[in-house]
Amino acid sequence: MPRAALQQVRDQALELNEQERAELAHDLLISLDGPADADIAEAWNAEILRRVAEIDGGTVTLIDADEVTQKIRSRLGKS
């Protein structure tokens, strides 16, 4: 795309309202990632279901978010 055309697109985009610019920015960022890999999405779905089953089955110990935050801060030396 010639530089002038790119500038024209940029100028038009900046005339959009905030919500429209946010949607456009999101779509542009997503386009940089390339096509979604169906196998990865399927693997993540399986992992999520496995973790939910562990929680529902009581086979894992859950830790309160405040406790996790405190442990992280402690490890980083930011008590």
Side-chain angles (χ1 to χ4, degrees):
M1 173 179 280
R3 190 98 184 126
L6 178 59
Q7 186 61 46
Q8 182 180 7
V9 169
R10 183 180 293 121
D11 291 343
Q12 289 174 342
L14 291 172
E15 291 176 8
L16 299 171
N17 67 42
E18 186 175 336
Q19 178 63 37
E20 292 167 332
R21 288 192 322 272
E23 289 178 27
L24 176 59
H26 177 263
D27 291 344
L28 290 171
L29 288 172
I30 294 298
S31 74
L32 296 175
D33 287 339
D37 186 335
D39 293 336
I40 291 174
E42 194 173 311
W44 271 114
N45 286 337
E47 178 66 14
I48 291 166
L49 292 173
R50 183 188 69 77
R51 291 182 186 196
V52 169
E54 286 180 343
I55 292 168
D56 290 345
T59 59
V60 293
T61 303
L62 300 179
I63 302 172
D64 181 71
D66 290 336
E67 184 179 343
V68 171
T69 301
Q70 182 56 41
K71 285 182 180 184
I72 292 169
R73 287 177 189 233
S74 177
R75 287 183 183 178
L76 293 174
K78 299 180 179 184
S79 301

